[in-house]
């Protein structure tokens, strides 16, 4: 009986599982898992340079049990500055503080409809960020720290215990159809535009463009330009039959 009891207690202990190049903390008390971060630290230069995309699992299996992945831990991906794209799957409810801070090459983030909280400076200092795609239909139901999407934090006020000014991104926020007005004027509003629908990206010639169907305009965005020795930006570009 004592042996059986010890076996049960051991089986209930939390575990850390590795899936692909990410680690997950599995909690048997809740049957939920937290994304801890990559298998190597950010100061491992060889790993950091090869770590260019984050794909998070929806479930993790440990000890024969299936755990639902619901949380991204504090500082999980802090300073992994070779990452260009983050896909956060449905089921994630919490993104803790500084989870994606200082990822200088991050261009695109996809947020799930299940999101309930985005913490302090979770997506701050993402200098290359082009688009954030949100599938949240009711932004008022999500607790968003006002520094979550700030590009730059200026003028710390000791008396107030907060920053006086926040510099917004030049990136666009893409939201579900019919929800644009509910996003405007909130802590989601640190973007150059709020657009309903999905972003359109196309490579034409040697340049990569982001297209805006509503205004029939485009902008040149970050791409693989290492081999270019000169750049000529056209006045117009034809994409999917539209100038």
């Amino acid at each position: 009986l004592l042996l059986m009891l010890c076996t049960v207690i051991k089986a209930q202990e939390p575990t850390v599982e590795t899936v692909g190049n990410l680690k997950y903390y599995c909690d048997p008390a809740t049957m939920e898992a937290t994304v801890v971060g990559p298998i190597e630290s950010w100061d491992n230069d060889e790993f950091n340079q090869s770590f260019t995309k984050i794909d998070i699992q929806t479930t993790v299996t440990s000890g024969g049990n299936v755990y639902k992945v619901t949380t991204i831990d504090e500082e999980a991906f802090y300073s992994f500055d070779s990452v260009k794209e983050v896909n956060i799957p449905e089921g994630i409810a919490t993104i803790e503080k500084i989870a994606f801070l200082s990822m200088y090459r991050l261009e695109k983030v996809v947020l799930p409809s299940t999101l309930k909280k985005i913490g302090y400076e979770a997506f701050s200092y993402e200098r290359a960020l082009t688009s954030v795609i949100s599938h949240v239909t009711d932004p008022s139901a999500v607790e968003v720290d006002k520094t979550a999407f700030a590009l730059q934090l200026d003028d710390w006020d000791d008396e107030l215990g907060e920053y006086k000014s926040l510099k917004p991104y030049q990136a666009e926020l893409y939201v579900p159809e019919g929800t644009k007005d509910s996003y405007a004027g909130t802590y989601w509003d640190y973007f150059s535009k709020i657009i309903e629908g999905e972003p359109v990206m196309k490579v034409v010639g040697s340049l990569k463009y982001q297209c805006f169907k509503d205004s029939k305009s485009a902008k040149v965005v970050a791409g693989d330009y290492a081999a270019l020795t000169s750049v000529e930006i056209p006045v117009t570009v034809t994409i999917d039959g539209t100038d």
Side-chain angles (χ1 to χ4, degrees):
L1 179 61
L2 182 59
L3 180 61
M4 291 174 61
L5 181 60
C6 290
T7 302
V8 171
I9 291 173
K10 184 177 181 181
Q12 292 178 341
E13 292 178 351
T15 58
V16 176
E17 299 292 339
T18 298
V19 181
N21 54 15
L22 300 182
K23 294 186 294 185
Y24 299 82
Y25 175 87
C26 302
D27 186 354
T30 61
M31 295 305 296
E32 295 180 351
T34 297
V35 184
V36 177
I39 55 176
E40 299 286 348
S41 64
W42 64 269
D43 56 357
N44 181 325
D45 290 339
E46 183 177 352
F47 178 82
N48 197 340
Q49 290 174 21
S50 66
F51 188 56
T52 59
K53 185 178 180 181
I54 297 173
D55 283 311
I56 296 170
Q57 302 292 309
T58 55
T59 61
V60 174
T61 300
S62 179
N65 296 316
V66 177
Y67 293 80
K68 183 179 179 182
V69 182
T70 61
T71 303
I72 299 174
D73 206 3
E74 294 181 12
E75 301 185 30
F77 300 101
Y78 167 69
S79 284
F80 280 92
D81 54 11
S82 291
V83 174
K84 294 184 177 181
E85 183 175 346
V86 176
N87 290 313
I88 302 173
E90 291 296 313
I92 294 291
T94 302
I95 300 174
E96 297 288 7
K97 66 181 182 180
I98 317 180
F100 298 96
L101 177 69
S102 296
M103 298 174 69
Y104 299 136
R105 292 178 177 84
L106 184 60
E107 299 172 7
K108 176 184 175 183
V109 176
V110 180
L111 301 174
S113 65
T114 50
L115 205 55
K116 296 299 179 186
K117 177 186 174 183
I118 306 177
Y120 174 85
E121 292 188 19
F123 293 98
S124 288
Y125 294 92
E126 273 46 306
R127 296 172 182 170
L129 195 64
T130 300
S131 55
V132 173
I133 304 166
S134 173
H135 295 295
V136 174
T137 55
D138 181 10
S140 66
V142 183
E143 179 188 342
V144 180
D145 188 277
K146 67 180 179 180
T147 65
F149 295 111
L151 176 60
Q152 183 175 323
L153 311 175
D154 294 318
D155 303 323
W156 176 261
D157 190 310
D158 289 327
E159 186 175 336
L160 294 176
E162 62 181 28
Y163 291 98
K164 295 179 182 178
S165 60
L166 302 171
K167 182 179 178 181
Y169 282 115
Q170 291 301 303
E172 285 78 31
L173 175 64
Y174 291 82
V175 301
E177 297 287 346
T179 66
K180 180 177 178 179
D181 289 346
S182 61
Y183 275 85
T186 68
Y187 287 147
W188 292 89
D189 206 6
Y190 283 99
F191 298 90
S192 60
K193 287 183 179 180
I194 299 177
I195 302 168
E196 293 184 355
E198 296 278 337
V200 177
M201 298 280 191
K202 295 287 183 179
V203 175
V204 179
S206 59
L207 301 179
K208 184 178 180 181
Y209 299 89
Q210 184 170 3
C211 316
F212 305 104
K213 293 182 178 180
D214 54 351
S215 59
K216 290 186 178 179
S217 63
K219 72 176 180 179
V220 181
V221 296
D224 186 10
Y225 303 138
L228 292 184
T229 57
S230 64
V231 177
E232 183 175 346
I233 298 175
V235 176
T236 63
V237 61
T238 302
I239 296 174
D240 295 338
T242 301
D243 291 340

